[in-house]
Every structure is written in structure tokens, then in C-alpha cells.
Amino acid sequence: MHYRNLLAERGIACHVRNYHSASVLGELPFLEVAPELCVLDPRDVELAQRVIATGGVPTSTVLRDWTCAGCGERLERQFTHCWRCGAEPAP
Ligand SMILES: [Zn+2]
């Protein structure tokens, strides 16, 4: 499930309500697909929508704290690059 993976990579807990409908997701407008993807934490909904809307493309508007894939440093959301090793957030 593409969207679920995108969200999971950003630490957003979610599950797909009806996994067996996944085969038709590509044919449905986003707003019809969205209810099938259940974000467990209401505070993550806005970010989840942003992630899905951008197709998971990394942007400078990542709104969560993140962990550097290069060195493991925990970074606050305003950093677009790791201050320790210079890596960008993983896509
Ligand atoms: Zn780093």
C-alpha cells in the first residue's frame, strides 16, 4: 500500500481500512481514497494529507521532527538538513 508506506516513513501511524480495495485506488480521486486510509493520531491528519498530496516527495515543509538516516541524529522539524552530517531527510 503506497500511501501507507509514505506515511509510515514519516512516523505517522495509520492503517488501511479496506486493504482489498487497493487494486482500484489508482482510479479513484484522492478524496474518495482518503477515508480508506485511517490515520490513528488526529494530530497527524494534516501532515498525512500533505504527504499524500505531494506523493511523498521530500520538501522543505516537513513538519515533524525527524531522524537522520546518515548518522541517527534526532532533528527538530525546522531543520531541512542534518546539522551533524549534512544529510537530507529520507524520502
Ligand atoms: Zn546526520
Side-chain angles (χ1 to χ4, degrees):
M1 175 58 193
H2 182 58
Y3 288 142
R4 184 177 61 184
N5 291 341
L6 290 176
L7 299 183
E9 289 171 359
R10 284 160 175 75
I12 301 172
C14 61
H15 71 275
V16 179
R17 183 181 299 166
N18 184 356
Y19 182 79
H20 296 292
S21 69
S23 62
V24 300
L25 287 177
E27 302 172 11
L28 295 174
F30 165 63
L31 290 178
E32 294 186 28
V33 176
E36 301 295 332
L37 189 63
C38 302
V39 178
L40 301 184
D41 186 338
R43 292 170 300 180
D44 284 337
V45 169
E46 185 177 343
L47 176 61
Q49 290 174 333
R50 185 191 306 271
V51 169
I52 291 171
T54 61
V57 176
T59 71
S60 61
T61 57
V62 174
L63 295 177
R64 291 183 72 92
D65 296 353
W66 55 285
T67 300
C68 177
C71 68
E73 183 66 32
R74 187 69 179 166
L75 295 148
E76 296 181 9
R77 63 196 68 190
Q78 67 266 31
F79 293 103
T80 57
H81 293 76
C82 175
W83 55 263
R84 176 180 280 181
C85 74
E88 297 181 17

